[in-house]
Amino acid sequence: MKVSDILRVKGNTLYTIGPDDPLSEAVDIMAEKDIGSLVVMSHGDLVGMLTFREVILQIQRNGGAVGDTRVRTAMDDAPLTCTNGTDLDEVRRMMLERHARYMPVMDKRMLMGVISFYDVAKAVVDSQNFENKMLKAYIRDWPAEEENAQNQPSL
């Protein structure tokens, strides 16, 4: 399974913010849209990733307030990325190694989407459920001739 399979099911709605925008605006967008991350874009280029983790850390550094902090102060300026063709096993490995919950999907310099650890886990579970269903159907529809031949004593 590839990243493109997840994006095909997930859809292509993207939420972005600029690095010089107020962090309070990012918090408002994340709360209003019920999302855990924003891609930080500048002049059409990916420059960072802002997740609830970075927001909470910045609020803690500010003594419990968002204040007048800019997104660039809180964002991860070297986010983990993947491509549409990246294998899901590789994505899981990368996300686990870096403790990344969100990963931008890039095609050269173009942002194609964002996948979350939830998206990856859901795709794996759905794939396993489908495989189990097919195996059960195969076993249930086992050909009768093979079954009889296996039960016959050999001479």
Side-chain angles (χ1 to χ4, degrees):
M1 187 176 288
K2 304 282 184 199
V3 169
S4 58
D5 298 321
I6 293 177
L7 288 182
R8 191 176 313 112
V9 172
K10 183 178 180 173
N12 55 3
T13 303
L14 288 171
Y15 297 100
T16 65
I17 195 157
D20 296 317
D21 291 337
L23 187 60
S24 60
E25 183 181 328
V27 170
D28 288 343
I29 293 169
M30 292 168 79
E32 179 185 310
K33 303 295 184 189
D34 191 26
I35 55 174
S37 69
L38 289 169
V39 180
V40 185
M41 302 288 287
S42 180
H43 306 291
D45 290 327
L46 171 78
V47 294
M49 192 73 180
L50 183 70
T51 71
F52 58 86
R53 176 186 286 157
E54 287 83 25
V55 171
I56 290 170
L57 287 171
Q58 188 60 45
I59 289 171
Q60 189 268 334
R61 285 191 291 262
N62 287 350
V66 174
D68 59 358
T69 305
R70 299 289 157 188
V71 168
R72 81 169 58 254
T73 305
M75 72 182 193
D76 174 358
D77 62 359
L80 195 58
T81 64
C82 63
T83 67
N84 273 321
T86 306
D87 189 72
L88 220 51
D89 288 335
E90 177 67 8
V91 170
R92 284 191 304 188
R93 186 191 60 73
M94 292 187 309
M95 290 179 105
L96 285 169
E97 279 180 6
R98 285 265 307 265
H99 295 230
R101 290 181 178 88
Y102 301 91
M103 186 182 294
V105 181
M106 305 296 293
D107 181 6
K108 295 181 179 74
R109 292 178 58 199
M110 180 182 277
L111 178 65
M112 304 304 291
V114 174
I115 58 172
S116 67
F117 200 75
Y118 171 84
D119 297 329
V120 173
K122 183 179 182 320
V124 169
V125 169
D126 289 348
S127 175
Q128 288 173 342
N129 286 342
F130 177 75
E131 200 172 294
N132 286 341
K133 187 186 233 180
M134 292 296 103
L135 286 170
K136 286 176 183 176
Y138 178 76
I139 291 168
R140 192 174 40 249
D141 297 335
W142 196 280
E145 304 87 56
E146 288 183 27
E147 211 172 279
N148 289 337
Q150 289 176 355
N151 292 333
Q152 297 286 330
S154 56
L155 299 176

